[in-house]
Amino acid sequence: MSDGQKSMTRRSFIGNSARAATAAGLAAQAAIGPASGRVLGANDRIRMGFIGVGNRGSELLGYFMAAPDVEIAALCDVYEPYLWRDRTKVDPRFVKDLGNKVPPMGEKFTKEPVREKDFRKLLERKDIDAVCIATPDHWHAIQTILACQAGKDVYVEKPLTITIAEGRRMVETARQTNRVVQVGLNRRGSSVYREAVGLVSGGTLGRVTLARAVYTSRMFPN
């Protein structure tokens, strides 16, 4: 496969697979679409590394595993049960208290992925094309920047980062390194949210001077 073909494959992958990964409430196969039935060769697949495979990371891992053009090449997490996908190693107190909020794990991989606790070790690997980042928010900027500099395309969960300065640096780095970076802001494309924006910008609600939002969750920690 030529460099141009490989680059285009990556771009198609980031667009199609990321949309599938963020399609809330849809089954992975329905979101990705049916496989063609063609046996894909090694050069046709995108080799992905996952940085952060906790609660949201586990969901994304499942979505990408269902994509026929993706190979799960490496996993990275500092928490042993997540890294080794072994729910039995989770403290029983968490399982008792949170129940099914603890990720099920136990996935069966076609090929055993490399496992790292240090994300920098994962980024050093030359056999990884793209990474999925689902770590706590304050890690998103540095991990995305270093991934781009390491030549990896990136799917990073929302929020992009926690400061404007970091966000600008991330955009600059993606452009300088010519990497594809997709942020998991899927709900902003929803017709419900677009309609809400229209109500505000169109003056239907009058002059809005204050808005508050509250979100609570007993989700098992990432």
Side-chain angles (χ1 to χ4, degrees):
M1 180 181 291
S2 69
D3 290 342
Q5 288 174 315
K6 190 171 185 179
S7 176
M8 183 57 68
T9 300
R10 288 179 181 173
R11 291 174 188 274
S12 300
F13 150 74
I14 289 293
N16 296 333
S17 295
R19 279 193 292 273
T22 56
L26 296 178
Q29 190 58 44
I32 295 167
S36 64
R38 181 173 64 90
V39 177
L40 298 175
N43 290 335
D44 295 312
R45 292 190 177 92
I46 305 301
R47 292 179 54 82
M48 283 197 68
F50 284 75
I51 302 174
V53 283
N55 201 298
R56 179 57 176 160
S58 291
E59 292 179 331
L60 294 173
L61 178 63
Y63 288 132
F64 280 110
M65 286 181 69
D69 57 347
V70 172
E71 178 182 336
I72 310 302
L75 304 177
C76 177
D77 206 288
V78 296
Y79 186 48
E80 290 276 353
Y82 286 161
L83 181 62
W84 293 100
R85 314 308 297 154
D86 189 349
R87 198 174 191 267
T88 66
K89 294 185 180 298
V90 175
D91 191 309
R93 294 173 298 175
F94 293 142
V95 177
K96 180 180 178 180
D97 186 42
L98 299 173
N100 61 10
K101 291 183 181 294
V102 179
M105 298 181 264
E107 299 89 351
K108 302 298 182 183
F109 299 99
T110 303
K111 183 178 180 181
E112 185 64 19
V114 171
R115 314 211 187 213
E116 300 283 1
K117 283 190 172 182
D118 188 334
F119 75 92
R120 294 169 296 184
K121 295 289 186 182
L122 185 150
L123 294 180
E124 288 174 358
R125 299 188 63 87
K126 304 300 183 184
D127 58 346
I128 291 178
D129 303 309
V131 295
C132 175
I133 298 173
T135 49
D137 302 349
H138 61 278
W139 278 107
H140 291 183
I142 185 64
Q143 290 172 340
T144 297
I145 289 170
L146 291 179
C148 288
Q149 292 174 342
K152 321 299 184 191
D153 292 330
V154 179
Y155 175 87
V156 57
E157 258 302 323
K158 58 183 176 295
L160 176 65
T161 183
I162 56 177
T163 72
I164 294 174
E166 286 181 345
R168 287 174 175 166
R169 178 64 188 278
M170 294 165 81
V171 172
E172 290 171 1
T173 303
R175 289 173 176 169
Q176 290 169 357
T177 57
N178 195 30
R179 293 296 92 202
V180 179
V181 178
Q182 170 78 32
V183 186
L185 294 172
N186 52 298
R187 289 185 180 177
R188 293 193 181 183
S190 166
S191 59
V192 173
Y193 290 89
R194 291 200 300 270
E195 183 178 353
V197 170
L199 291 174
V200 175
S201 61
T204 304
L205 301 181
R207 184 186 177 196
V208 178
T209 59
L210 177 66
R212 289 194 177 98
V214 177
Y215 177 79
T216 59
S217 172
R218 296 180 71 245
M219 182 181 289
F220 190 60
N222 278 326

